[in-house]
Amino acid sequence: MLGMCRGRRKFVAASLALIFIPALTWLYLSSANFTVKPLSLSPLDPQSSLLIGAAAEHQALELRLRDVEEHNHALRREISLLPRVPTHSSHHSNGRQGNHLHTHSTEEGTGDSEAKKGVASGNRSDCVPQPVVNKCETIHIAIVCAGYNASRDVVTLVKSVLFHRRNPLHFHIITDSIARKILADLFHTWMVPAVHVNFYDADELKSEVSWIPNKHYSGIYGLMKLVLTKTLPSDLQKVIVLDTDITFATDIAELWVVFHKFKGQQVLGLVENQSDWYLGNLWKNHRPWPALGRGFNTGVILLLLDRLRKLKWEQMWRLTAERELMSMLSTSLADQDIFNAVIKQNPFLVHQLPCFWNVQLSDHTRSEKCYKDVSDLKVIHWNSPKKLRVKNKHVEFFRNLYLTFLEYDGNLLRRELFGCPSETDHNSENLQKTLSELDEDDPCYEFRRERFTVHRTHVYFLHYEYEPTLDNTDVTLVAQLSMDRLQMLEAICKHWEGPISLALYLSDAEAQQFLRYAQGSEVLMSRSNVGYHIVYKEGQFYPVNLLRNVASGQVNTPYMFLSDIDFLPMYGLYEYLRKSVVQLDMANTKKALVVPAFETLRYRLSFPKSKAELLSQLDMGTLFTFRYHVWTKGHAPTDFAKWRTATTPYRVQWEADFEPYVMVRRESPEYDRRFVGFGWNKVAHIMELDAQEYEFVVLPNAYMIHMPHAPSFDITKFRSNKQYRACLKTLKEEFQQNMSRRYGFAALKYMTVDNNS
């Protein structure tokens, strides 16, 4: 912009030189004549010949001046006929005809005569100082978001806004209970500086709009933008309202500054609709709601809340909706129909935005006429359920922009806004204090730091449904995994018909790969009672116990079976565990039901359908007790010899390094986060259960089988890195000391555990 202004200044200066330098010359010569004596006309005057010569020369000079002036006039006429320098506003004029709205393009100078008439014109005042947003001014953004899919979509919108922003942000999100749970956890763990979030209960607003029949796929939530004046804080004066399928390609502050350009009674900033919907010519007998010309799209709205309230917006839109519904019967495009009907009656309410603030991508749109170069675009609106398959010559560019933010590492958006005072979050403050107290010269510093790392977490990444059982015996299988164990999901779903809670440790890009994998799987898509919770990658260790805590934290059944992703439970284990809840009075006693673990080295295993079949394969060498060859101590207390002939549950005692897979009540202790990667992560948890006096009861007809796979990266580090093993030994000792302090005399036995294990 600065270079453009300089160029125009040089051009204007050159033009002025052509015009004014000859004029100044003429004035100079004329002023000289005023001192000359009156000319004598007598040829006998001795000076007459000189004067006549001078007069002739003067006359010739005047002729030359007139020629230059005529040339300059012609030059000025040619300049005036040249096309205007194209700008954003001219790129996006949309070709409205016969629509004399009193609006001003947001990119125009106020001194333009056409702008004064309210006609959208080109940007001819790029060098005029434009209003700016104060460095530390908070920008308020309102979003209606309901359900699992919208909660996932809104993350891409938020990423694109955070990527470009240079101002504090305050999100006002109207949600149902599902989206609130998901987004509250996400923002809490995201910990982005200078970002505040408030949630508003959509259920409390349903009665405000439920009387309006709506055919749009957004349902009742598609009408809630109508009641924002009533929903948002009364002292909030203005807000940018966005759909969840929006992607920003610029700093949102550029849109916020447009509020300064609202004139008169303008209270709504909107972009013209780029489809022919409101023209009523899409098909035979197509009858849309009334709209001004092509109407306006409500995917991006600037709302002047204080002025809207003074205009009694609530009454205005309700009366309009009631009147139109008498003939239209229902809305087709949700809130957009009602907004346009109001504007049709009150065009003075609208400040029309250039269409680069809402380039609408769907079939039957005129979005390609909205811009000349994709670099002009500021907001992409994926307002088609087909999204990336719309017909547009630049769809590849749009798709890449969308995918960039879809797979962008959200951890990189935690950057500080320097120079702006902000309210200190107590959780963040405590975390920073804790981290500052760690000794960075400690060889186990990275292990200790991982315990306090806050991982961005997106719970219920996919749709989830669960109906509680009436008998309070239901059990959820809990496990965690990374991308290299994804192939186990379908097999587990076939073996366990009950609810499942899974924590997946993925990058943003891997989360999208998982989404495509899941949506392409008939087995996974046929199950709605599997909760997938994404914990985003950060740090150099696999946070195995954090993942287990995330998965168990989302369990909504009374009991949970704590498993690992590389184990397949026996067929029917889900129902067997539910019966055991009643049989062993789990509701009134503290028990941990042990499911014996076995393993196979065969990738193709004829999975035993009964205990008898399993024992046969055990005798044939097809199966082994789990980790029999490398770590007998882990499951030795299960007493497999006794299990072979047992017909009733039997109790076993805790021993050092015992790490069985157990079913416990949902309220059982969490896993200790100091143990990351490989080693002692389950051992510590079982020790905690024992310290809290849980009984370990082995189920005689239950089993699970570990399936073979390549060794994990963490077990490889454990085996090859001496410092890794030394730090694990240190962490064990510290854990045991903590146990002694917490449980006193009863925990002395844990102090004698061999730490060389």
Side-chain angles (χ1 to χ4, degrees):
M1 177 64 74
L2 185 59
M4 184 184 297
C5 288
R6 287 174 177 166
R8 291 184 182 180
R9 288 175 187 137
K10 291 178 181 179
F11 177 79
V12 171
S15 301
L16 291 173
L18 285 172
I19 295 168
F20 290 113
I21 289 176
L24 290 171
T25 305
W26 183 84
L27 286 171
Y28 172 77
L29 292 173
S30 298
S31 64
N33 292 340
F34 294 138
T35 62
V36 178
K37 295 180 180 180
L39 293 176
S40 170
L41 298 179
S42 171
L44 301 177
D45 192 326
Q47 296 181 348
S48 63
S49 61
L50 293 173
L51 291 173
I52 291 171
E57 185 177 347
H58 185 87
Q59 185 178 12
L61 183 59
E62 286 184 336
L63 290 173
R64 288 174 59 194
L65 282 172
R66 279 197 295 271
D67 288 340
V68 171
E69 286 181 335
E70 288 177 3
H71 178 74
N72 287 339
H73 282 303
L75 181 61
R76 284 198 297 270
R77 283 196 300 272
E78 290 179 9
I79 292 173
S80 68
L81 295 175
L82 289 174
R84 304 289 184 188
V85 178
T87 65
H88 291 314
S89 295
S90 61
H91 288 177
H92 304 271
S93 62
N94 283 337
R96 288 183 74 113
Q97 295 179 359
N99 187 3
H100 303 292
L101 287 177
H102 293 287
T103 59
H104 302 266
S105 171
T106 63
E107 305 300 315
E108 296 166 30
T110 56
D112 190 285
S113 60
E114 290 184 79
K116 291 178 181 177
K117 298 177 183 177
V119 179
S121 62
N123 185 350
R124 291 181 291 282
S125 58
D126 288 333
C127 299
V128 176
Q130 299 292 317
V132 294
V133 177
N134 294 331
K135 178 181 178 182
C136 298
E137 181 178 351
T138 299
I139 296 173
H140 293 266
I141 304 165
I143 305 169
V144 178
C145 181
Y148 299 98
N149 293 339
S151 301
R152 194 171 60 244
D153 292 340
V154 79
V155 177
T156 307
L157 161 61
V158 171
K159 282 184 184 179
S160 69
V161 173
L162 291 176
F163 180 83
H164 297 286
R165 67 106 176 209
R166 294 188 294 272
N167 285 76
L169 301 176
H170 193 146
F171 289 96
H172 303 266
I173 309 180
I174 296 87
T175 65
D176 62 351
S177 58
I178 293 169
R180 178 164 188 155
K181 164 64 178 170
I182 295 170
L183 296 178
D185 283 358
L186 177 64
F187 278 104
H188 176 71
T189 55
W190 204 337
M191 299 182 70
V192 183
V195 170
H196 290 83
V197 185
N198 282 109
F199 295 99
Y200 306 84
D201 190 352
D203 290 336
E204 294 180 1
L205 304 175
K206 285 183 177 179
S207 61
E208 302 284 337
V209 293
S210 59
W211 57 274
I212 305 173
N214 179 27
K215 292 181 180 179
H216 194 257
Y217 60 80
S218 59
I220 194 170
Y221 300 102
L223 297 163
M224 289 190 175
K225 282 184 278 188
L226 293 165
V227 296
L228 290 179
T229 53
K230 188 174 183 179
T231 307
L232 299 179
S234 58
D235 59 345
L236 183 60
Q237 296 183 348
K238 55 187 177 181
V239 68
I240 297 173
V241 187
L242 303 173
D243 280 354
T244 57
D245 54 354
I246 293 288
T247 305
F248 267 77
T250 192
D251 189 348
I252 195 170
E254 295 180 32
L255 182 56
W256 185 255
V257 79
V258 175
F259 277 114
H260 292 296
K261 301 188 178 184
F262 279 36
K263 304 296 181 183
Q265 291 183 292
Q266 293 174 348
V267 290
L268 303 170
L270 292 163
V271 169
E272 186 182 51
N273 206 36
Q274 289 154 30
S275 79
D276 293 339
W277 178 269
Y278 286 110
L279 298 180
N281 57 8
L282 291 184
W283 59 79
K284 188 177 180 181
N285 299 324
H286 175 215
R287 185 166 168 256
W289 275 55
L292 200 61
R294 308 189 69 86
F296 294 91
N297 185 277
T298 56
V300 177
I301 316 176
L302 271 61
L303 287 185
L304 268 182
L305 295 169
D306 52 347
R307 290 192 197 172
L308 274 169
R309 293 181 181 115
K310 290 178 182 177
L311 290 172
K312 297 184 178 179
W313 168 253
E314 286 284 321
Q315 183 179 358
M316 188 182 296
W317 74 258
R318 284 177 182 275
L319 290 174
T320 301
E322 289 171 359
R323 182 181 65 248
E324 297 301 333
L325 284 170
M326 292 177 68
S327 58
M328 298 302 299
L329 304 182
S330 68
T331 60
S332 296
L333 299 183
D335 66 88
Q336 186 166 291
D337 284 338
I338 298 175
F339 269 101
N340 275 287
V342 173
I343 293 167
K344 175 76 171 178
Q345 297 296 318
N346 308 278
F348 57 86
L349 297 176
V350 179
H351 179 98
Q352 185 177 344
L353 304 175
C355 67
F356 53 66
W357 283 119
N358 185 356
V359 178
Q360 303 144 36
L361 295 181
S362 63
D363 292 339
H364 312 296
T365 65
R366 303 163 68 251
S367 58
E368 291 179 31
K369 298 181 180 180
C370 189
Y371 55 89
K372 283 189 176 181
D373 193 310
V374 290
S375 63
D376 297 332
L377 303 179
K378 297 184 182 295
V379 171
I380 311 299
H381 184 185
W382 301 90
N383 59 329
S384 165
K386 293 190 294 183
K387 285 200 171 182
L388 303 181
R389 299 192 301 274
V390 297
K391 297 175 182 177
N392 184 294
K393 64 183 179 182
H394 296 118
V395 71
E396 191 65 22
F397 170 83
F398 299 134
R399 189 178 72 88
N400 289 337
L401 178 68
Y402 175 76
L403 293 177
T404 295
F405 292 115
L406 188 71
E407 301 184 354
Y408 189 84
D409 183 355
N411 298 328
L412 301 178
L413 299 169
R414 287 171 167 164
R415 60 180 182 269
E416 294 280 352
L417 290 184
F418 295 104
C420 292
S422 60
E423 298 177 15
T424 304
D425 180 80
H426 291 299
N427 292 328
S428 177
E429 190 178 52
N430 292 336
L431 175 62
Q432 293 304 319
K433 181 180 179 182
T434 301
L435 292 176
S436 67
E437 292 172 352
L438 297 178
D439 180 7
E440 294 188 22
D441 294 327
D442 182 352
C444 301
Y445 170 77
E446 292 298 334
F447 284 86
R448 300 188 192 283
R449 181 184 173 86
E450 178 57 41
R451 180 181 183 181
F452 303 105
T453 299
V454 178
H455 289 262
R456 184 167 42 103
T457 303
H458 187 138
V459 297
Y460 299 105
F461 195 69
L462 296 178
H463 182 80
Y464 178 80
E465 288 182 19
Y466 170 73
E467 288 292 334
T469 58
L470 298 177
D471 59 5
N472 291 320
T473 64
D474 213 355
V475 186
T476 299
L477 186 149
V478 173
Q480 43 73 37
L481 67 150
S482 53
M483 200 68 181
D484 58 339
R485 301 287 188 264
L486 212 57
Q487 72 280 359
M488 291 295 299
L489 294 180
E490 289 189 348
I492 287 178
C493 285
K494 291 176 181 177
H495 279 249
W496 179 276
E497 62 271 28
I500 302 174
S501 183
L502 300 171
L504 297 88
Y505 192 57
L506 306 173
S507 66
D508 291 75
E510 287 174 340
Q512 296 307 312
Q513 294 175 35
F514 159 70
L515 178 62
R516 291 190 290 271
Y517 171 81
Q519 291 177 337
S521 167
E522 291 185 12
V523 174
L524 301 188
M525 286 296 97
S526 67
R527 295 285 297 272
S528 60
N529 63 347
V530 180
Y532 300 96
H533 317 296
I534 309 297
V535 176
Y536 288 99
K537 286 183 175 179
E538 188 169 3
Q540 57 178 303
F541 295 105
Y542 185 78
V544 57
N545 279 355
L546 167 66
L547 296 172
R548 288 178 172 134
N549 290 340
V550 168
S552 60
Q554 302 308 318
V555 167
N556 44 25
T557 58
Y559 304 95
M560 52 188 183
F561 172 45
L562 305 175
S563 183
D564 271 338
I565 198 65
D566 42 12
F567 277 88
L568 289 181
M570 73 175 198
Y571 292 109
L573 181 60
Y574 169 62
E575 288 298 335
Y576 180 39
L577 290 179
R578 292 185 61 183
K579 291 176 181 177
S580 299
V581 166
V582 178
Q583 181 184 357
L584 297 171
D585 193 23
M586 290 283 289
N588 301 306
T589 57
K590 294 175 71 172
K591 290 187 176 71
L593 305 188
V594 177
V595 177
F598 300 86
E599 68 177 342
T600 180
L601 301 179
R602 299 186 180 184
Y603 283 89
R604 290 176 174 269
L605 174 72
S606 176
F607 200 91
K609 295 181 174 58
S610 65
K611 180 177 179 178
E613 280 190 32
L614 181 138
L615 291 174
S616 175
Q617 293 184 10
L618 198 62
D619 292 338
M620 293 173 59
T622 304
L623 292 177
F624 306 92
T625 56
F626 184 53
R627 302 194 77 187
Y628 170 78
H629 302 87
V630 293
W631 186 242
T632 308
K633 297 173 66 175
H635 293 265
T638 301
D639 195 348
F640 289 100
K642 184 173 183 178
W643 182 82
R644 291 181 67 102
T645 58
T647 56
T648 58
Y650 59 93
R651 183 176 176 180
V652 296
Q653 298 297 318
W654 175 87
E655 295 180 22
D657 299 312
F658 191 29
E659 52 177 2
Y661 293 93
V662 297
M663 184 186 80
V664 292
R665 290 192 296 205
R666 182 176 54 192
E667 300 81 13
S668 66
E670 287 191 333
Y671 289 84
D672 194 294
R673 280 196 59 187
R674 84 186 74 203
F675 297 107
V676 294
F678 178 80
W680 246 58
N681 43 72
K682 289 194 302 293
V683 171
H685 185 248
I686 294 299
M687 187 182 293
E688 185 93 22
L689 290 175
D690 182 65
Q692 294 192 14
E693 300 181 341
Y694 276 74
E695 295 180 20
F696 296 99
V697 178
V698 180
L699 298 174
N701 294 308
Y703 56 88
M704 58 196 299
I705 300 177
H706 179 267
M707 306 305 292
H709 57 73
S712 67
F713 180 65
D714 290 280
I715 196 172
T716 303
K717 282 199 295 185
F718 173 81
R719 291 170 176 170
S720 61
N721 190 323
K722 183 178 180 181
Q723 185 59 50
Y724 194 115
R725 295 193 298 274
C727 286
L728 180 58
K729 185 175 185 293
T730 300
L731 294 175
K732 289 179 186 179
E733 293 171 351
E734 292 174 358
F735 174 77
Q736 290 165 333
Q737 292 167 5
N738 290 347
M739 291 285 288
S740 178
R741 285 193 293 269
R742 290 173 60 192
Y743 297 104
F745 182 78
L748 287 179
K749 61 180 178 180
Y750 308 125
M751 299 296 293
T752 62
V753 173
D754 181 7
N755 284 318
N756 293 320
S757 59

